[in-house]
Amino acid sequence: MKKISALCLAGILCLGLWACSSSEDSSSSDSSGTTKQETSENGFPVNMPEFSTTDMDGNKVTNDIFADYDLTVVNFWATYCNPCIDELPELAEWKKELPDNVNLIGLLVDVDEKDSDQYKLAEKIISQTGADYQHLIATEEFDDMISNLVGVPTTFFVDSTGKIIGEPFAGADVSAYKQTVEDYLNGK
């Protein structure tokens, strides 16, 4: 009986949160006059945020990275996530097969500074899995996106202007990522 009550309460809370959420698909201002980023029906921004961060090699990276490719696959992952780690070797192999106009980057959601234990763990995981493509450290500019993630891994597809294409994939599904890239390149 306690389990049923707990499930009912959880369902009511979820329904309440859903009913109070906004599905508005346009930019708006809060009471301080700050413009909020335009979001889609799924709660994610329509565009990737403006950001400045570093990659795991210490190189500075901004959202200008998207301009160099027709499409960039952005895989949000974490060092504590076994499905994330399990898909890294397959992503590394796929990166080698991608056409020159498509890029793949990882975005680490649980690493915040170079001298941290999480950073050292991420380096070890990247090395052990052969995931030798570029991995960025998520900065506060990604907080809104990360807070909307169901979990990691979650993968987004971003065009050369920084616009998010289609729906993100929650969970490890490299074959679905491949199909999304193929469809996009073929104009579907």
Side-chain angles (χ1 to χ4, degrees):
M1 187 66 179
K2 288 182 180 181
K3 288 183 181 180
I4 293 173
S5 296
L7 287 173
C8 288
L9 181 58
I12 291 169
L13 286 171
C14 288
L15 183 60
L17 289 172
W18 174 77
C20 293
S21 68
S22 171
S23 62
E24 188 177 322
D25 192 9
S26 63
S27 295
S28 60
S29 296
D30 62 19
S31 60
S32 68
T34 304
T35 301
K36 295 180 181 178
Q37 187 171 15
E38 186 177 351
T39 59
S40 63
E41 290 180 15
N42 61 17
F44 291 107
V46 173
N47 297 301
M48 290 296 282
E50 296 280 330
F51 66 88
S52 179
T53 188
T54 56
D55 64 17
M56 290 296 293
D57 294 326
N59 301 309
K60 183 178 177 181
V61 181
T62 68
N63 55 308
D64 292 338
I65 191 172
F66 303 120
D68 296 334
Y69 301 92
D70 292 338
L71 190 66
T72 300
V73 180
V74 183
N75 180 254
F76 285 67
W77 70 282
T79 59
Y80 58 80
C81 169
N82 286 331
C84 299
I85 296 165
D86 291 345
E87 80 172 348
L88 290 176
E90 189 175 2
L91 288 172
E93 285 301 312
W94 182 40
K95 170 67 173 154
K96 295 173 188 171
E97 301 167 5
L98 286 173
D100 291 340
N101 63 335
V102 179
N103 191 23
L104 168 66
I105 58 175
L107 192 81
L108 281 153
V109 301
D110 66 333
V111 173
D112 56 4
E113 56 187 53
K114 188 170 182 162
D115 295 328
S116 70
D117 289 340
Q118 291 309 112
Y119 185 92
K120 292 173 186 143
L121 179 58
E123 285 182 316
K124 181 178 177 183
I125 291 168
I126 290 167
S127 175
Q128 289 177 341
T129 60
D132 56 357
Y133 52 91
Q134 190 173 32
H135 297 270
L136 310 181
I137 297 172
T139 53
E140 63 188 23
E141 293 97 340
F142 291 101
D143 286 354
D144 286 342
M145 288 186 79
I146 293 169
S147 69
N148 281 308
L149 297 179
V150 173
V152 286
T154 297
T155 302
F156 291 84
F157 305 88
V158 182
D159 73 9
S160 62
T161 67
K163 181 179 179 189
I164 296 172
I165 304 300
E167 295 292 320
F169 283 90
D173 192 351
V174 177
S175 62
Y177 311 159
K178 290 178 179 181
Q179 188 63 54
T180 300
V181 169
E182 185 178 318
D183 289 349
Y184 181 79
L185 294 177
N186 291 328
K188 293 181 183 179

